[in-house]
Amino acid sequence: MTIIHSTKENWLTSAVLELETEFKSVGLIMPAKWRISSGFPSKGGLAAKKRTIGQCWSPEASKDGTTEIIISITQDDETKILGVIAHEMCHAVLGIEAGHGPLFKKLANSIGLVGKMTATEESKVFIERIFYMLGRLGGFPHAALDASIGIKKQSTRMVKVTCSDLTDCGMVFRTSNKWIDIAGDELSCPICNAPAFAD
């Protein structure tokens, strides 16, 4: 697909305006102040399962009172990105406090987003309605980043250990599996020396 926009932000901003025009009749009208950008969501952006690919921030979280939408840099499929933007626009329109409840579901379904509301999918109807929009937007000027490359994996997972004397001591600490294996049946609390157990 031909690249029309020189930056991701220009493409994303144009996408919001296109979606708003297409779905204005069902109430997909953005707040007066909004911004959209590409980056990592605040949590779940690197998750192996249930990865967060979009996020909407309440205007109360922004220093200048702007609703902020973030599209994950792990995404580069234009159709999917438009679906994610539409999902986040529903949050922006209804307010974050609406969550993925009945109001959100009603608006999302009305524009053709289906499936589980926490991870909506683009229906055939939605894809048909954005067909010409994709041509006007052109290719998304970004290549998806593989979040699994270049991230050092944690080699040691610290294990929670709890003192068995919960009434008088209740000490909780963390240690590696190596030390739990070495201690074996003699794993004990470093404070009161009572037996301890790994969770």
Side-chain angles (χ1 to χ4, degrees), residues 5-16:
H5 295 279
S6 59
T7 68
K8 292 182 282 186
E9 281 67 28
N10 284 345
W11 192 98
L12 293 167
T13 299
S14 295
V16 170

Side-chain angles (χ1 to χ4, degrees), residues 47-58:
K49 295 179 181 178
K50 296 183 180 178
R51 178 172 290 176
T52 302
I53 56 176
Q55 196 170 46
C56 181
W57 286 83
S58 166

Side-chain angles (χ1 to χ4, degrees), residues 108-133:
N109 288 167
S110 74
I111 63 174
L113 297 179
V114 295
K116 190 176 178 183
M117 287 299 106
T118 54
T120 53
E121 297 174 7
E122 303 78 37
S123 69
K124 184 179 178 184
V125 170
F126 181 86
I127 292 169
E128 286 172 356
R129 290 187 74 172
I130 65 166
F131 180 78
Y132 292 108
M133 193 182 300

Side-chain angles (χ1 to χ4, degrees), residues 4-5 18 100 160 163:
I4 297 171
H5 295 279
E18 289 272 2
H100 296 101
K160 181 180 171 185
C163 176

Side-chain angles (χ1 to χ4, degrees), residues 12-108:
L12 293 167
T13 299
S14 295
V16 170
L17 297 173
E18 289 272 2
L19 287 165
E20 188 176 44
T21 299
E22 179 65 29
F23 297 108
K24 190 177 284 187
S25 62
V26 293
L28 198 69
I29 303 166
M30 288 292 282
K33 289 181 71 175
W34 58 270
R35 273 189 292 262
I36 186 167
S37 59
S38 177
F40 270 126
S42 64
K43 60 181 179 179
L46 294 174
K49 295 179 181 178
K50 296 183 180 178
R51 178 172 290 176
T52 302
I53 56 176
Q55 196 170 46
C56 181
W57 286 83
S58 166
E60 285 77 25
S62 172
K63 190 174 180 180
D64 68 355
T66 301
T67 297
E68 301 273 358
I69 293 175
I70 298 170
I71 304 301
S72 175
I73 56 178
T74 63
Q75 303 301 301
D76 65 358
D77 178 89
E78 291 86 0
T79 299
K80 182 65 184 170
I81 292 170
L82 284 178
V84 175
I85 293 171
H87 177 112
E88 301 309 331
M89 286 174 71
C90 290
H91 284 305
V93 169
L94 298 171
I96 303 303
E97 62 279 0
H100 296 101
L103 288 175
F104 180 90
K105 183 174 183 177
K106 183 179 179 183
L107 181 56

